[in-house]
Amino acid sequence: MPTNVTAEYLAAEEEYRNARTIPEKIRALEKMYATVPKHKGTEKLRLQIKRRLSELRKELEKQRQVKKGGGGPSIAVKKEGAAQIALVGLPNVGKSSLLRALTNADVDVASYAFTTVQPIPGMMHHRDVQIQLVEVPGLVEGAALGKGMGPQLLSVVRNADAIAMVIDLSRDPIKQMEVLLREFERAGIKVNRRRPRVEVKRTAMGGIVINGAENIRGDVSEVMKILRDERIHSAELTVKEPVTLEEIADALDESLVWRRAIIIANKGDAPGSRENYEKLLKAYGDRFKIIPVSAKRNIQLDKLKDELYELAGIIRVFTKSPGEEPAYPPVPLKRGSTVMDLAERIHKDFARNFRYARVWGKSVKFPGQRVGADHVLEDGDVVEIHAR
């Protein structure tokens, strides 16, 4: 037992010992993790709690799959357009109104909860590209633990390229955020967190080799336990930045997904909305970009479209043939894409027979600069590909 644990931690530990179901155990472990003192002496304890939580969540998902014969009917939404963004929030926060205002999708809008019972996609046309927005039916406390259609809805969120959390400014915004972030965490969704720069390359033999061990802030023997828990017995582990043991465990946990997210503060025209917006900004403004809007009165929706475009993490690249004007529409690519990524997107022959490209735009020093296949493109670039 670690020293200086709080009474709250001891109560949570007792709750865990008395728990009978997996959801009960998960809730108790979450309380233990939240109340355990954060210092070097409790590092191994925190790691043990996180490991057990991960194991229980995986076990719960296996039970659910067996019970429903493989998970039941799929509610996955096929990705279309340049990127897919999930609109997520509690019931009756205005997601349907936002989807209709941003995409002209044919959706039912009502003032009561659970109007939407299935994910609804819509296409937002902005800056010459199409971005798919998916309205996810309202999440509730306990969704990730099996309440309602929670696990299926959260699988839609996991599959999206990014997340827009819709918060109702006419209600307590902090409580709404707490519910959403707790359910995301339970579902293995890390929002606005960067995956630690830890890479593992499995090998046929040779045991475990650790490169960059000086970057590990903790007992290296614990790293070996983490690898064994992940059934990794022979591999080359490369640690590229200072990390804790918990961060190493997260980096190696393949059940986790890492997603960019923003907050859409809806119903900004409602009584008390200004005060609630200030509360939201104070509590979460450092971690999330917060855009106050009113779907009902079309307030700030153009700004919201700009922010959703940025959230999608895409760039527009225009192509051209020698002596001709740039073609329209542009080719949408993920931010950080190279000339070769563009060539492969256009046609496999361009990639196979690539010689060089000429680029006009922000990514080059002068117009028409000759570049190679690994040149990183920027938004608005014009590219002329030369092949054999």
Side-chain angles (χ1 to χ4, degrees), residues 34-311:
T35 56
V36 68
K38 302 294 192 293
H39 55 73
K40 191 170 183 179
T42 62
E43 185 177 36
K44 290 184 180 180
L45 176 62
R46 296 198 306 272
L47 184 60
Q48 289 169 2
I49 294 172
K50 289 195 72 171
R51 283 180 188 163
R52 186 59 183 144
L53 275 169
S54 178
E55 292 168 358
L56 286 172
R57 287 164 182 160
K58 291 173 183 176
E59 188 176 343
L60 183 65
E61 180 60 25
K62 286 181 182 178
Q63 288 186 3
R64 188 177 295 120
Q65 294 291 329
V66 172
K67 184 178 179 180
K68 295 188 176 181
S74 173
I75 59 172
V77 179
K78 181 182 177 182
K79 289 186 177 182
E80 296 181 351
Q84 184 187 84
I85 300 176
L87 299 178
V88 190
L90 273 57
N92 203 29
V93 295
K95 298 185 297 296
S96 295
S97 297
L98 278 168
L99 184 69
R100 187 169 66 178
L102 294 169
T103 70
N104 294 319
D106 185 14
V107 294
D108 292 329
V109 178
S111 59
Y112 53 84
F114 303 109
T115 306
T116 302
V117 296
Q118 291 283 333
I120 300 176
M123 298 301 293
M124 181 183 79
H125 184 77
H126 191 61
R127 297 189 189 177
D128 301 317
V129 299
Q130 298 274 5
I131 297 173
Q132 185 185 49
L133 305 182
V134 179
E135 179 194 351
V136 178
L139 293 180
V140 296
E141 177 70 39
L145 300 180
K147 191 170 183 179
M149 294 280 289
Q152 291 93 325
L153 299 180
L154 285 163
S155 71
V156 175
V157 181
R158 285 175 59 94
N159 188 59
D161 298 309
I163 302 168
M165 294 177 287
V166 184
I167 299 298
D168 181 351
L169 288 180
S170 71
R171 295 147 56 184
D172 183 351
I174 307 304
K175 182 175 177 59
Q176 294 174 66
M177 283 296 297
E178 288 174 348
V179 171
L180 290 177
L181 293 178
R182 183 160 50 246
E183 297 309 315
F184 289 165
E185 186 69 23
R186 287 170 171 171
I189 303 170
K190 300 285 187 180
V191 290
N192 280 13
R193 303 292 192 197
R194 181 177 59 81
R195 183 189 291 274
R197 296 181 62 204
V198 176
E199 297 178 359
V200 60
K201 182 179 180 182
R202 294 177 186 263
T203 55
M205 59 184 68
I208 300 298
V209 177
I210 299 179
N211 301 318
E214 67 278 5
N215 286 326
I216 299 174
R217 295 174 174 172
D219 189 345
V220 175
S221 65
E222 287 296 316
V223 177
M224 297 301 195
K225 292 181 181 178
I226 294 172
L227 291 167
R228 287 197 296 270
D229 288 342
E230 295 295 329
R231 294 181 174 82
I232 300 173
H233 303 288
S234 184
E236 183 177 1
L237 182 74
T238 303
V239 184
K240 298 184 176 182
E241 64 182 356
V243 291
T244 64
L245 295 176
E246 290 180 69
E247 288 172 331
I248 291 176
D250 283 346
L252 299 180
D253 188 345
E254 295 181 353
S255 70
L256 300 181
V257 295
W258 309 73
R259 296 291 180 262
R260 298 182 305 278
I262 62 171
I263 297 173
I264 303 175
N266 193 26
K267 304 185 183 180
D269 56 325
S273 61
R274 178 175 292 276
E275 292 80 3
N276 282 332
Y277 172 71
E278 293 298 330
K279 291 179 183 177
L280 192 63
L281 197 61
K282 182 178 180 181
Y284 294 100
D286 290 341
R287 182 177 171 189
F288 298 97
K289 185 170 289 187
I290 304 173
I291 305 93
V293 304
S294 171
K296 183 178 180 180
R297 297 192 178 182
N298 290 330
I299 297 174
Q300 287 245 96
L301 294 190
D302 285 340
K303 176 176 174 55
L304 176 56
K305 288 182 178 180
D306 288 337
E307 296 295 347
L308 289 170
Y309 176 88
E310 292 299 321
L311 177 66

Side-chain angles (χ1 to χ4, degrees), residues 294-348:
S294 171
K296 183 178 180 180
R297 297 192 178 182
N298 290 330
I299 297 174
Q300 287 245 96
L301 294 190
D302 285 340
K303 176 176 174 55
L304 176 56
K305 288 182 178 180
D306 288 337
E307 296 295 347
L308 289 170
Y309 176 88
E310 292 299 321
L311 177 66
I314 56 177
I315 60 173
R316 303 159 300 167
V317 177
F318 295 84
T319 60
K320 69 180 292 292
S321 299
E324 297 184 5
E325 292 295 313
Y328 182 88
V331 179
L333 296 170
K334 289 183 179 180
R335 194 174 294 141
S337 292
T338 65
V339 169
M340 181 53 69
D341 293 324
L342 174 64
E344 291 173 344
R345 182 74 172 271
I346 297 172
H347 198 281
K348 59 183 180 182

